[in-house]
Amino acid sequence: MPKVRRSRKAHSIDRGNKEPYMHMSLREMPLPEALSTQPLSWRIAVGPLLYYWSRQDTFDFYAAVSCAPVDIVYLGETVCSRRHEMRNDDWLEIAAMLHKCGKSVVLSTRTLIETQSEASAVRRLCEQEEYPIEAGETGSVGMRKGQPFVAGPHLNAYNGGTLQWLREQGATRFVVPLEMNRTTLAQLIAETPAGMEVEAMVWGRMPLAFSARCFTARHFRLSKDECGFRCSEHPDGLELRTRESQSFLAINGIQTQSAACLDLLDQATELARVGVQVMRISPQSQGTFNATMALDALRHGRPAVPVVLPAGMKRCNGYWHGHAGLAQVNPGA
């Protein structure tokens, strides 16, 4: 069985460069100045927050996002309905602030629906018309009733037939499955229906699978319903190692992730060349804003800034190069 490595260091959340606004409410924050007047080769998206951060850390993070070179922001709890720090009104307040700051806001639905109350919450989200949604599973596709939506990465869109069906249901963009290599992705994009954009995750721990069982609770020998919200103690998930002490996976409540951080920032230009219009960054406790700045620099022809990962986390890009996902391939080496 894999072993869990627990960090004893106190964790902190990367809040970006927002010190002037530390004491302002979201609605009091000024609009950011235009970042650039040059035409963009791709847009930058910040995916939904996958971890259980405190309410204050979450508000601080999105206050920093409002000032970052980001075009699209996905909001909402997509992993566990028991996480209660952020209420629906909190997410809507953040959405209004980001919209005021010129960001395109998308509300993300949960990927695994287990109870009637969770299904009802997804239905309410799908029936609102103020913001588009990201469909995390096929049930939410039907609930949109033909209204526009973004097809999330877990809808398993691996061929043109699936993309055509999603387009007919109202999808305006789809997020590429994480394990696609560059050759397969180019083939899939060639089959993409007209009017449908392509988005790919390029940075962050990859969300790989979901289960009805809470892995974090089980690790601490707790039941899922009495978990003590232990996932809040691990802002980047809880790393798993093999018996040979190799980093293998990370657990985040009911979600399994890659232990390493996907890093395709250096491949952003190549991704754009094959037809990817939106580059997604998945939030981590450290490095998120450097990753957005690196993508912004690259799309304007400037050298990318270095991106420092959370302590102990490695990089991976194996899927893109046709290797095992946890591999780090250096083409020039």
Side-chain angles (χ1 to χ4, degrees):
M1 293 290 291
K3 295 183 289 185
V4 177
R5 187 182 74 170
R6 298 178 58 186
S7 173
R8 299 188 180 185
K9 295 181 180 179
H11 58 260
S12 61
I13 306 300
D14 185 357
R15 292 171 172 81
N17 183 22
K18 63 168 190 57
E19 286 76 10
Y21 314 120
M22 284 291 290
H23 304 293
M24 295 183 180
S25 69
L26 292 182
R27 290 193 174 93
E28 293 173 331
M29 292 181 61
L31 292 172
E33 297 180 1
L35 296 169
S36 175
T37 58
Q38 300 180 26
L40 309 180
S41 53
W42 61 74
R43 285 173 289 160
I44 301 172
V46 171
L49 176 61
L50 303 179
Y51 306 103
Y52 191 24
W53 294 355
S54 73
R55 184 176 183 274
Q56 188 60 56
D57 282 340
T58 303
F59 269 73
D60 287 347
F61 174 78
Y62 285 109
V65 168
S66 73
C67 304
V70 172
D71 306 290
I72 304 166
V73 185
Y74 292 83
L75 297 175
E77 176 55 58
T78 63
V79 178
C80 179
S81 62
R82 298 196 70 250
R83 296 175 176 178
H84 62 286
E85 284 274 335
M86 294 291 292
R87 304 296 185 181
N88 186 57
D89 288 345
D90 293 328
W91 289 118
L92 292 177
E93 180 179 353
I94 292 174
M97 177 274 297
L98 291 170
H99 180 72
K100 177 183 176 182
C101 292
K103 313 300 184 186
S104 295
V105 176
V106 182
L107 302 180
S108 299
T109 73
R110 292 190 183 93
T111 303
L112 181 62
I113 309 300
E114 299 183 74
T115 66
Q116 184 60 46
S117 62
E118 291 175 353
S120 297
V122 171
R123 184 176 297 279
R124 289 193 298 271
L125 191 65
C126 291
E127 290 177 349
Q128 61 83 35
E129 298 180 354
E130 188 172 3
Y131 301 104
I133 72 150
E134 177 189 32
E137 43 79 50
T138 53
S140 52
V141 172
M143 293 176 187
R144 284 300 281 174
K145 298 179 180 178
Q147 296 299 309
F149 67 92
V150 178
H154 305 292
L155 289 184
N156 298 329
Y158 290 100
N159 57 68
T162 300
L163 292 178
Q164 183 61 45
W165 180 82
L166 288 169
R167 185 71 183 100
E168 292 169 357
Q169 306 309 306
T172 57
R173 183 164 68 243
F174 80 100
V175 184
V176 174
L178 297 167
E179 65 272 26
M180 280 201 161
N181 61 48
R182 53 187 165 190
T183 301
T184 307
L185 175 58
Q187 294 170 346
L188 180 64
I189 291 177
E191 300 176 11
T192 303
M196 196 173 193
E197 292 185 318
V198 182
E199 179 173 340
M201 179 177 167
V202 297
W203 192 88
R205 271 185 165 161
M206 294 181 286
L208 301 174
F210 295 80
S211 171
R213 172 177 289 168
C214 178
F215 300 110
T216 305
R218 188 182 185 194
H219 167 69
F220 291 106
R221 302 183 183 277
L222 299 169
S223 69
K224 183 178 180 180
D225 293 334
E226 297 180 358
C227 63
F229 303 106
R230 299 299 292 270
C231 55
S232 65
E233 301 170 6
H234 307 279
D236 293 296
L238 190 58
E239 186 182 82
L240 298 180
R241 287 178 172 266
T242 65
R243 291 186 182 277
E244 292 75 28
S245 295
Q246 180 184 16
S247 297
F248 179 49
L249 296 170
I251 54 176
N252 174 40
I254 67 169
Q255 184 184 68
T256 306
Q257 302 178 328
S258 62
C261 176
L262 173 68
D263 189 350
L264 294 179
L265 299 177
D266 288 343
Q267 284 74 47
T269 301
E270 188 177 359
L271 282 158
R273 190 177 300 123
V274 299
V276 175
Q277 294 116 318
V278 180
M279 309 288 177
R280 173 180 291 206
I281 291 171
S282 188
Q284 303 291 158
S285 66
Q286 303 293 323
T288 304
F289 295 101
N290 281 344
T292 64
M293 289 188 290
L295 277 180
D296 185 55
L298 289 168
R299 68 180 173 177
H300 292 112
R302 303 191 302 270
V305 298
V307 180
V308 179
L309 300 181
M313 195 179 296
K314 298 180 179 179
R315 304 175 195 274
C316 67
N317 60 9
Y319 282 141
W320 175 249
H321 295 283
H323 296 275
L326 53 73
Q328 174 65 23
V329 180
N330 299 310

